[in-house]
Amino acid sequence: MSVVGFDLGFLNCHVAIARAGGIETVANEFSDRCTPAVVSFGSKNRTIGVAAKNQLITNANNTVSCFKKFHGRAFNDPLIQKEKSNLPYEIVHMNSGGVGVKVMYLEEESIFSVEQITAMLLSKLKETAEYNLKKPVTDCVISVPSFFTDAERRSVLDAAQIVGLNCLKLMNDMTAVALTYGIYKQDLPAPEEKPKIVFFVDMGHSSFQVSACAFNKGKLKVLGTAFDPYLGGRSFDEKLVEHFCVEFKTKYKLDVKSKVRAVLRLFQECEKLKKLMSSNSTDLPLNIECFMNDLDVSGRMNRTEFEGLCSDLLQRLEAPLRSLMEQIQLHVEDISAVEIIGGATRIPSVKERIAKFFGKDVSTTLNADEAVARGCALQCAILSPAFKVREFSVTDVVPYPISLKWSTEADEAEGLHEVFNKNHAAPFSKVLTFYRKNPFQIEAFYSDPSNVPHPESKIGQFVVQNICAAKDGEKSKVKVKVRVNTHGIFSVSTASMVERMEADEQEDQEAEAKTQSTTDTLETDGNEKPPEAKKPKIKVKNIELNIEASLVWQLGKDLLNLYIENEGKMILQDKLEKERNDAKNAVEEYVYEFRDKLSGPYEKFVSETDQSNFLALLTDTENWLYEDGEDQHKQVYIEKLEELKKLGAPIQSRYREAEERPRMFEELGQRLQHYNKIVEEYRNQSEAFQHISSTDMEKVEKCVRETAEWMNNAMNTQAKQRLDQDPVVQAHEIKAKRASLDSSCHGIVSQPKPKVESPKKEEKPLNGVNENHEEDVNSEKKKTNSTQPQQNGDCHPNNKGTIDMDLD
């Protein structure tokens, strides 16, 4: 079972996996742990990540980036319309009302939903995880901003489903960071003690998020969150771009915004300049060659001037911080630490403003870029049965208050109730009780739309069906369970009708008999009381009710299946195109490699005529690759490579044989010397080989003689051959000859020498014991004493030539 965390950022993504050694952020095929959130479409395939980012300028109209905020939004959403003017690609209105991206793919105009685009990005991240884990990836945890609404969260879940991922949890960015921080801490207070309060501040490329968390040992509780969804590193880049657009218009008379590519190049250079200013306070240059109309442009900026440009952005930092302090009713003195993450927190003025607000230095103990992905992987490991993780509970919060409104009957007042207030614990379930005779509708919505960064306040409508009146004609009791689940999404999860009914007569009799058998065992005082009137026994039965949900943003099942099918086709197309490119690259590589070697190590092994012809063929093939062969089928390249190998393979073989053949001859000669030496020792009657019969040794001698004769003939014949001619004997033949020699001779010369047994002499074992009888030790002593003087503790020879040991 895979354990993977995906950090889906606005600009970049990260992948973290759990292995036996812990949590690790893994690298993509470019050895980079950061994968750009970019998808590019071409005439043959899609490119995703680093390769796609490289096409941002050259293929601007068909390269999609900055699409994260399109999730769960209608095309006419004010945010979408504002973003539209800044995008190099075209976005369109889809039949579902959502945002579609129009691109040229496979030389046809195609429209993809934002769920499909995100699914493509996830497929790349999934591929990276699978490559590092060496096994398929299905289960995962995906990060989302804490300010995402239900509609946006459902849209991300649909994207994961398109690419075959089972998202165990959509985890809020800041909660993931808090988990990364807390699970490894050894100094957290005990559960019964006052918790440690830590603030986490994140400024990424497109948003600013703040979270307050309480830590105890083995426990994390989010106290509250605040955010500015439109303040991020991109906002600072835009200030620089706007400044230089004005400067270039005055200085060079260039209208930068009239050219999409010029704007994109300026954004890239301004982002680099911003990063440089974070570590340098001096004047820094900005130079772009051939910017527009073949003009080179240049400008200058320093940190002080930059901070002046961005003064309004820096002022916006305080509002979310102050809002969160008010929500959780804490003072600055109650805060133990302030951890900052996100690329934009590296801007010195941003860091200074945050530190000034809290009146203390900020901490940077977490990896600013990878903390979210690591937290997601940790959460996935906690949810996975495949990993044993330290016990650590995580309690998140509901970012916006949620209310319910339900249809009422004539005799009822308007139904309205706030079920989850702001910062209510999540996940969480509540059971509401209604009294109804007929099906009714419940509508869920955000109670305070003004504080929700989404124009649609409605979450969805839920119709509770199959309700009927009770048997007595009264209203039935209906229990409805509402829940904010692990993804942070609201739902009406279950509904049931409570039916009260009297137990049947048989059950009454059984119950009475049971009661009688019990009372018979009790002692009475003789005063009998009149029997009480029997009360009817009531049985409660819960009848499950169907719920028909109509959500504000949810892909239909048919459309989702279509997207899944289309993604499978595109993955196959990408695979086929990769194989085609690999075949083409193999031909190109062969041409360049052989051309160099024909003038180098292979030169001696090919005749001048063949060399000239082969070089001409290589040149023709190279020209073909960049002309007619630029776009051919995979099989054409395979056939072209085979054509080249018909001429190249013999040359390679001759070179390889010339390298290996001397070594093989030397090894064979060493074996012949070895066996010759054994034959000589046998002739000299060496004791080591006299056990071998003369017939066997003659076989060895004959085999050695024949092999030596074959080797001498082969070497002499080969010596007469030119290097550009095919060898008369090949290395594998020499190797086979050596194996044959060993097979014939080794078994004979390595025969074990037979053991020579000495004649048995009668020995009397110690203690006078042998296999057949026992002899008294004392009698043995007497015999010994009669023949030799007794020497205690010594060994000495007896008359029979053996050694006796005295036992006294």
Side-chain angles (χ1 to χ4, degrees):
M1 184 178 180
S2 60
V3 172
V4 182
F6 294 126
D7 173 17
L8 277 183
F10 186 88
L11 184 68
N12 295 308
C13 304
H14 293 84
V15 180
I17 61 173
R19 291 189 186 174
I23 303 298
E24 178 185 348
T25 309
V26 295
N28 54 31
E29 73 272 31
F30 293 91
S31 300
D32 192 347
R33 295 202 296 270
C34 169
T35 299
V38 185
V39 181
S40 186
F41 297 88
S43 58
K44 295 288 182 183
N45 64 333
R46 308 169 298 175
T47 51
I48 306 166
V50 177
K53 186 179 180 181
N54 295 334
Q55 299 183 40
L56 269 173
I57 308 297
T58 57
N59 188 26
N61 294 337
N62 299 307
T63 302
V64 185
S65 60
C66 304
F67 52 85
K68 182 176 179 178
K69 291 188 177 179
F70 296 170
H71 280 285
R73 291 180 181 267
F75 179 75
N76 56 9
D77 187 303
L79 174 67
I80 302 298
Q81 293 306 308
K82 182 183 176 183
E83 290 282 336
K84 185 180 178 182
S85 59
N86 300 323
L87 298 173
Y89 52 90
E90 185 179 357
I91 57 174
V92 296
H93 188 282
M94 297 194 73
N95 294 333
S96 62
V99 181
V101 178
K102 184 190 284 188
V103 292
M104 290 296 294
Y105 173 56
L106 303 183
E107 299 181 346
E108 293 181 358
E109 193 176 84
S110 302
I111 296 175
F112 298 104
S113 69
V114 65
E115 289 85 4
Q116 287 179 285
I117 299 293
T118 299
M120 295 173 195
L121 178 59
L122 282 169
S123 72
K124 186 66 180 178
L125 302 180
K126 179 183 177 185
E127 181 185 309
T128 299
E130 289 178 337
Y131 176 79
N132 284 275
L133 285 169
K134 309 299 181 191
K135 61 181 178 181
V137 167
T138 304
D139 295 328
C140 65
V141 170
I142 300 174
S143 73
V144 291
S146 54
F147 54 80
F148 257 26
T149 62
D150 278 36
E152 293 163 299
R153 291 170 188 265
R154 279 193 292 268
S155 180
V156 174
L157 284 178
D158 287 339
Q161 197 172 343
I162 289 170
V163 80
L165 287 171
N166 175 33
C167 182
L168 301 178
K169 180 173 184 174
L170 284 181
M171 193 168 197
N172 291 331
D173 291 338
M174 304 309 291
T175 309
V177 172
L179 178 58
T180 304
Y181 174 87
I183 198 167
Y184 296 114
K185 289 288 181 184
Q186 301 294 325
D187 58 348
L188 296 178
E192 67 277 2
E193 295 177 7
K194 184 181 178 182
K196 178 180 181 179
I197 307 297
V198 181
F199 266 58
F200 297 94
V201 183
D202 172 22
M203 181 177 279
H205 189 65
S206 69
S207 61
F208 180 56
Q209 302 180 72
V210 194
S211 174
C213 299
F215 290 95
N216 289 91
K217 192 169 185 179
K219 182 180 174 183
L220 154 64
K221 183 180 181 182
V222 181
L223 301 177
T225 59
F227 31 76
D228 185 339
Y230 313 113
L231 175 63
R234 183 173 66 156
S235 309
F236 293 85
D237 295 343
E238 287 170 351
K239 289 288 185 181
L240 286 173
V241 169
E242 192 63 36
H243 169 80
F244 285 112
C245 280
V246 173
E247 183 177 318
F248 293 162
K249 190 164 190 177
T250 306
K251 191 174 179 180
Y252 300 103
K253 309 299 182 192
L254 294 176
D255 184 8
V256 177
K257 293 185 178 179
S258 64
K259 299 284 185 182
V260 170
R261 291 186 180 184
V263 173
L264 290 172
R265 288 189 68 189
L266 185 56
F267 259 104
Q268 288 182 346
E269 294 303 318
C270 286
E271 186 180 356
K272 293 175 186 175
L273 180 63
K274 178 188 70 178
K275 291 176 180 177
L276 287 171
M277 284 191 291
S278 295
S279 54
N280 296 277
S281 57
T282 58
D283 276 11
L284 294 171
L286 179 140
N287 300 307
I288 311 175
E289 295 181 353
C290 297
F291 182 57
M292 286 179 69
N293 306 331
D294 294 329
L295 278 176
D296 299 342
V297 297
S298 63
R300 303 191 74 78
M301 178 67 67
N302 59 50
R303 187 190 292 173
T304 305
E305 189 179 353
F306 173 58
E307 289 174 356
L309 282 175
C310 303
S311 59
D312 59 325
L313 300 178
L314 295 171
Q315 288 173 5
R316 287 167 58 183
L317 287 169
E318 192 172 317
L321 299 173
R322 193 168 300 282
S323 169
L324 183 55
M325 292 295 288
E326 291 171 358
Q327 288 176 40
I328 61 177
Q329 297 292 305
L330 287 177
H331 301 289
V332 173
E333 303 79 47
D334 300 323
I335 300 168
S336 301
V338 179
E339 286 282 340
I340 61 170
I341 64 156
T345 56
R346 295 186 176 104
I347 300 173
S349 53
V350 171
K351 196 182 296 185
E352 288 166 10
R353 288 291 181 112
I354 297 169
K356 183 179 178 182
F357 178 86
F358 290 104
K360 62 177 68 183
D361 290 337
V362 295
S363 301
T364 54
T365 57
L366 297 173
N367 186 306
D369 300 313
E370 300 173 5
V372 175
R374 294 174 69 85
C376 289
L378 279 166
Q379 180 65 71
C380 193
I382 290 170
L383 296 172
S384 168
F387 277 77
K388 187 177 181 181
V389 185
R390 177 184 306 164
E391 285 189 18
F392 203 88
S393 69
V394 179
T395 304
D396 214 324
V397 294
V398 178
Y400 313 111
I402 298 173
S403 292
L404 296 182
K405 184 167 62 177
W406 53 86
S407 56
T408 58
E409 297 185 358
D411 57 342
E412 293 179 335
E414 182 182 8
L416 185 66
H417 179 62
E418 185 174 279
V419 282
F420 295 106
N421 59 341
K422 184 175 176 65
N423 294 331
H424 191 289
F428 205 89
S429 297
K430 289 187 177 182
V431 177
L432 307 176
T433 302
F434 297 87
Y435 291 89
R436 289 287 184 274
K437 290 183 179 180
N438 302 302
F440 67 103
Q441 177 180 289
I442 298 173
E443 182 180 312
F445 60 94
Y446 293 115
S447 312
D448 186 9
S450 61
N451 287 323
V452 179
H454 197 285
E456 180 60 74
S457 62
K458 189 191 294 183
I459 296 172
Q461 291 181 339
F462 307 86
V463 178
V464 184
Q465 301 176 326
N466 305 333
I467 300 174
C468 59
K471 290 182 178 179
D472 57 3
E474 294 297 318
K475 295 177 181 178
S476 295
K477 184 178 180 181
V478 179
K479 289 186 176 182
V480 176
K481 185 177 181 181
V482 296
R483 177 171 176 78
V484 173
N485 64 17
T486 188
H487 304 303
I489 296 173
F490 174 87
S491 66
V492 176
S493 53
T494 61
S496 61
M497 184 168 64
V498 180
E499 185 176 333
R500 296 167 64 86
M501 52 193 299
E502 294 183 9
D504 57 32
E505 187 177 340
Q506 183 179 352
E507 288 178 345
D508 282 343
Q509 290 173 354
E510 289 175 357
E512 186 178 347
K514 186 175 181 181
T515 305
Q516 184 65 40
S517 65
T518 304
T519 55
D520 286 346
T521 62
L522 299 176
E523 294 182 4
T524 62
D525 57 3
N527 299 322
E528 295 184 5
K529 295 181 181 179
E532 296 180 2
K534 292 183 181 178
K535 294 181 180 179
K537 292 181 173 56
I538 303 299
K539 188 166 74 171
V540 176
K541 181 180 180 183
N542 288 324
I543 302 171
E544 292 297 320
L545 302 175
N546 291 334
I547 301 169
E548 183 182 328
S550 176
L551 302 169
V552 168
W553 197 266
Q554 183 80 53
L555 290 180
K557 190 172 287 187
D558 292 341
L559 186 58
L560 187 61
N561 289 334
L562 178 63
Y563 286 168
I564 293 170
E565 183 182 344
N566 288 343
E567 177 63 22
K569 290 177 181 177
M570 287 186 281
I571 289 173
L572 179 60
Q573 175 62 31
D574 292 343
K575 182 182 177 183
L576 293 174
E577 179 61 14
K578 182 181 183 300
E579 291 174 355
R580 190 189 75 85
N581 277 325
D582 288 347
K584 180 184 176 182
N585 292 337
V587 176
E588 188 176 37
E589 185 181 339
Y590 195 86
V591 168
Y592 291 141
E593 180 187 359
F594 235 95
R595 181 185 287 152
D596 290 342
K597 289 186 176 179
L598 280 176
S599 303
Y602 290 175
E603 188 174 8
K604 302 176 189 175
F605 300 92
V606 57
S607 65
E608 290 185 10
T609 306
D610 289 346
Q611 184 185 34
S612 177
N613 292 338
F614 196 16
L615 283 171
L617 178 60
L618 292 173
T619 302
D620 290 343
T621 304
E622 182 185 19
N623 295 334
W624 173 82
L625 279 171
Y626 297 110
E627 293 171 2
D628 296 340
E630 178 70 28
D631 186 15
Q632 296 290 335
H633 294 295
K634 172 185 169 183
Q635 190 59 34
V636 174
Y637 295 120
I638 292 173
E639 292 170 359
K640 183 65 71 173
L641 184 61
E642 288 175 352
E643 181 185 346
L644 294 174
K645 284 184 175 180
K646 283 179 183 177
L647 294 177
I651 301 170
Q652 276 183 317
S653 177
R654 289 195 285 270
Y655 171 77
R656 192 163 51 247
E657 286 292 326
E659 292 284 312
E660 294 181 8
R661 191 169 50 248
R663 182 169 58 84
M664 290 291 105
F665 273 137
E666 183 181 356
E667 290 178 3
L668 179 58
Q670 289 172 353
R671 300 306 293 163
L672 287 170
Q673 288 178 4
H674 172 70
Y675 292 122
N676 259 328
K677 184 178 178 182
I678 291 173
V679 171
E680 284 297 321
E681 289 183 10
Y682 179 80
R683 287 174 178 168
N684 295 332
Q685 296 186 347
S686 169
E687 188 178 345
F689 300 105
Q690 288 306 304
H691 63 282
I692 301 174
S693 68
S694 58
T695 306
D696 284 343
M697 193 55 75
E698 284 173 7
K699 289 180 182 177
V700 172
E701 190 174 358
K702 180 183 177 184
C703 185
V704 169
R705 184 174 60 252
E706 290 175 350
T707 304
E709 185 178 344
W710 176 88
M711 187 178 85
N712 290 331
N713 289 336
M715 292 178 72
N716 292 333
T717 308
Q718 182 59 44
K720 297 174 184 177
Q721 292 285 102
R722 298 195 312 272
L723 288 175
D724 61 3
Q725 292 178 315
D726 291 336
V728 293
V729 61
Q730 295 183 339
H732 71 85
E733 294 178 284
I734 305 169
K735 188 176 181 180
K737 205 71 177 175
R738 189 190 71 190
S740 176
L741 175 69
D742 283 336
S743 175
S744 300
C745 300
H746 184 72
I748 295 174
V749 301
S750 61
Q751 290 179 27
K753 191 174 181 180
K755 293 182 180 178
V756 179
E757 295 185 4
S758 57
K760 291 184 178 180
K761 297 178 180 179
E762 183 181 351
E763 294 182 4
K764 293 181 180 178
L766 297 179
N767 295 337
V769 179
N770 59 28
E771 293 181 1
N772 298 320
H773 64 276
E774 294 184 2
E775 192 171 331
D776 186 79
V777 176
N778 293 327
S779 65
E780 180 64 26
K781 286 182 183 178
K782 292 175 184 177
K783 291 179 183 177
T784 305
N785 291 337
S786 65
T787 55
Q788 293 287 343
Q790 183 173 339
Q791 299 179 24
N792 292 339
D794 292 333
C795 294
H796 45 85
N798 61 19
N799 290 338
K800 297 180 180 179
T802 61
I803 292 180
D804 292 335
M805 177 178 284
D806 292 333
L807 300 175
D808 289 342

